[in-house]
Amino acid sequence: MTITNSLYIGISGLQAHGDAISVVGDNIANVSTVGFKRARAMFSDMLGGQLGSQRVGGGVRLAGTQTMLDQGAVTQTGDPLDLAIRGGGMFVVKGNHGGLDAQYYTRDGRFHLDQAGFVANQQGLRLQGFAIDPSGTRALSAGDLPLGARQSAPVPTTKADMTLNLDANAAVKPAWDPTSPNTTSNYATTANVFDSLGAAHRVEVYFRDQGGGNWEWHAMVDGGDLTGGTAGTLTEIATGALSFTSTGALQSQSMTSSTANFLNATPGQTIAFTFGDDIASGGTGLSGTTQFAATSSVTSLAVDGRSAGKLTDVLISDDGMIRGVFDNGDKIALAHVALADFANVEALQRIGDGLSAETASSGKPLVDVSGTGARGSISSGALESSNVDLSNELVTLIAYQRAFQANSKTVTTADEMMNDVTNLKR
C-alpha cells in the first residue's frame, strides 16, 4: 500500500462521514415533521490492491441509507380528520405532485375537506378509500372520498305512536264536523310527519268523547299540503276509534283509514297511528293511552321518518370506517379509509412533502382496510409524530464528527509522509 493510497483512504473516510453527518442533520431538521421516519447511514468498506495473497482495504463509502420504520409517538389534536396509524401501513393519496399525476403514500395524516368536499391532504392530494353506497355496499376498489357532497336521504313517516290520558269526565260533544274540529272534539294534540321528499307536515289529531268509554280520533293537515287541497282548510288523512274499560284501561284501538297525498310526494302515504298497549292485543291497557278522571294530556309521542340531512361532522373508528353525522340525526357509514402495505417498504422512494412513491424494489402496493394483514389501526383526532430521537441523533452526530476528525488525521499524516519523501532529495 502506497502513501498515495493512504491519502485517498483518508479522503474516502472524510466523504463518507461528511455524507453521514448530512443524514443525521436531515433527521434532526425533521424532528417536528408529522409522520417523518428517520434514516440511518449505512457504511460499506472498499477494497484496494493486493498484498501477498490478501486484498487490502481501500477505504469506506456510504452505501446508502436505511429508513427506520419504528412507531412515532401519537399525539391528540381533536380534529376528526387528523389521522394517525398505529402499526404498519401508509395512507394512499392521489393527485398532482411536482407536475406528475400519480398515487403516493404517506404517514402524514393531516387531512381536511377541500372546496369540492373531498378528503385531501396539505398538498391537495385526495385521500383514497373504499366508498360505501346508500345500500351499505362497499366499493371493491379504492377511490376519492367526496364526503362533503353526501346527503342523508329523507325517510317518509310510516308510524306515529302516542300515548295520552283522555279525561273520563269529558262532556260528550256534538257529532264530529271536520269543518269545525275545535267545537266537535274534546282534546287535540299535534305531531310533525315527513313525506317521501323529506318535507315536514303538521298533523292535528282531534279526540272526541262518544260516551260509554268510547272515543273517536281524527288526524288532519292543512289542505295546502295535499294534492288538490285548499290552503287554510283542514283535511282528514286518518281516522279511528279507542275503547276503554270502566277502570280506564285501553280495551282496544282501531284505525279506520289512513292515506295522505302530500304535494309533489309519493301519493297514498299511509301513517299508522297507534296509542300504546291495549288489552285486545294481550296487554294490560294501562301502559299506553288511558281514560282516567284527570285533565287530558299527551304523555309520549314518537314519530318515525326524517327530512333530508346535511353532513355536519364525521366520526372515524379504529378500523378506518368513516361515519357521517347529519343534521337530521342520521349517522351513516360513508367510506373505509384505505391503507397500503408493501413487500419492501424501505425501498419506497422519498419525494418530499412527507410523500413516498413506489419503486421496482418496493413492489406493488397492497391496498386494503386497516386491521388486515400487517396494516395497523387508525386513530382519529390524532397525528403520528416524527420517530426521531433527538438525544440519540446528537450522540450519533458527535460520533460521526469524531470519525471525520480522525480521518482528517489520516490525510494530514499521509501528507506529512509525502513531504518527508519529497525532502529526501535535499
Side-chain angles (χ1 to χ4, degrees), residues 164 166 207 210 213-217 240-244 250-254 274-275 289:
L164 314 89
L166 297 174
F207 297 86
Q210 297 174 313
N214 297 309
W215 292 70
E216 60 182 304
W217 59 267
L242 303 173
S243 176
F244 297 92
L250 182 60
Q251 175 65 43
S252 63
Q253 58 182 307
S254 64
T274 59
F275 299 92
T289 298

Side-chain angles (χ1 to χ4, degrees), residues 81 112-121 124-126 144-151 310-311:
L81 284 178
H112 64 278
L113 291 182
D114 64 15
Q115 67 273 16
F118 290 88
V119 182
N121 70 356
L125 304 179
R126 291 175 176 176
D144 297 345
L145 301 178
L147 301 188
R150 289 291 294 269
Q151 280 190 321
K310 182 179 179 181
L311 185 70

Side-chain angles (χ1 to χ4, degrees), residues 50-115:
Q50 193 87 8
L51 183 63
S53 60
Q54 298 291 328
R55 295 288 300 275
V56 295
V60 67
R61 66 184 177 89
L62 188 66
T65 59
Q66 180 184 10
T67 302
M68 309 305 292
L69 300 174
D70 47 299
Q71 178 77 44
V74 175
T75 56
Q76 299 298 313
T77 66
D79 187 333
L81 284 178
D82 280 345
L83 304 179
I85 302 174
R86 296 179 183 268
M90 303 183 79
F91 297 114
V92 183
V93 293
K94 196 171 184 179
N96 188 290
H97 181 267
L100 179 64
D101 277 315
Q103 186 165 282
Y104 303 100
Y105 311 92
T106 182
R107 295 280 293 199
D108 185 346
R110 291 175 293 176
F111 297 106
H112 64 278
L113 291 182
D114 64 15
Q115 67 273 16

Side-chain angles (χ1 to χ4, degrees), residues 96-418:
N96 188 290
H97 181 267
L100 179 64
D101 277 315
Q103 186 165 282
Y104 303 100
Y105 311 92
T106 182
R107 295 280 293 199
D108 185 346
R110 291 175 293 176
F111 297 106
H112 64 278
L113 291 182
D114 64 15
Q115 67 273 16
F118 290 88
V119 182
N121 70 356
Q122 303 300 303
Q123 292 75 43
L125 304 179
R126 291 175 176 176
L127 178 66
Q128 302 294 288
F130 300 93
I132 298 174
D133 66 21
S135 69
T137 303
R138 197 185 85 181
L140 297 178
S141 59
D144 297 345
L145 301 178
L147 301 188
R150 289 291 294 269
Q151 280 190 321
S152 170
V155 176
T157 297
T158 60
K159 185 177 181 180
D161 188 10
M162 62 181 70
T163 59
L164 314 89
N165 179 67
L166 297 174
D167 190 353
N169 296 324
V172 176
K173 292 286 186 175
W176 167 252
D177 183 357
T179 63
S180 184
N182 291 323
T183 59
T184 57
S185 66
N186 299 87
Y187 181 70
T189 189
T190 62
N192 286 326
V193 300
F194 299 92
D195 63 26
S196 61
L197 298 175
H201 303 278
R202 179 185 176 93
V203 178
E204 305 280 353
V205 185
Y206 294 90
F207 297 86
R208 176 182 174 271
D209 187 359
Q210 297 174 313
N214 297 309
W215 292 70
E216 60 182 304
W217 59 267
H218 304 270
M220 308 185 77
V221 299
D222 189 295
D225 291 356
L226 301 172
T227 302
T230 302
T233 300
L234 289 176
T235 303
E236 190 170 275
I237 62 168
T239 184
L242 303 173
S243 176
F244 297 92
T245 67
S246 59
T247 61
L250 182 60
Q251 175 65 43
S252 63
Q253 58 182 307
S254 64
M255 186 171 68
T256 306
S257 64
S258 176
T259 182
N261 298 317
F262 291 116
L263 197 63
N264 299 321
T266 302
Q269 180 174 339
T270 299
I271 301 173
F273 288 86
T274 59
F275 299 92
D277 168 66
D278 63 63
I279 296 172
S281 299
T284 64
L286 295 173
S287 60
T289 298
T290 55
Q291 182 190 246
F292 297 140
T295 303
S296 295
S297 62
V298 174
T299 54
S300 70
L301 176 64
V303 181
D304 65 1
R306 53 188 175 269
S307 62
K310 182 179 179 181
L311 185 70
T312 59
D313 198 5
V314 293
L315 303 173
I316 304 177
S317 54
D318 289 350
D319 62 358
M321 177 74 77
I322 302 176
R323 291 177 172 83
V325 179
F326 296 84
D327 58 7
N328 64 352
D330 273 348
K331 290 183 180 179
I332 301 175
L334 302 178
H336 233 136
V337 176
L339 293 183
D341 192 21
F342 293 85
N344 183 9
V345 180
E346 294 178 7
L348 289 172
Q349 179 184 4
R350 180 179 164 191
I351 62 172
D353 290 324
L355 302 173
S356 298
E358 67 178 87
T359 64
S361 299
S362 70
K364 292 294 181 182
L366 308 173
V367 180
D368 209 328
V369 298
S370 61
T372 60
R375 301 167 195 84
S377 61
I378 293 177
S379 293
S380 175
L383 292 172
E384 181 186 10
S385 302
S386 167
N387 68 351
V388 173
D389 184 336
L390 191 56
S391 59
N392 183 68
E393 297 299 324
L394 291 174
V395 170
T396 303
L397 182 63
I398 293 171
Y400 289 163
Q401 182 183 12
R402 293 303 183 194
F404 185 91
Q405 292 173 341
N407 278 278
S408 69
K409 292 296 183 182
T410 301
V411 174
T412 56
T413 300
D415 177 59
E416 291 172 359
M417 293 172 66
M418 292 184 69

Side-chain angles (χ1 to χ4, degrees), residues 16-42:
H17 285 90
D19 291 339
I21 288 173
S22 296
V23 174
V24 176
D26 183 55
N27 290 340
I28 294 173
N30 284 285
V31 70
S32 299
T33 302
V34 174
F36 180 81
K37 298 299 181 183
R38 65 188 176 91
R40 180 173 65 182
M42 300 172 63

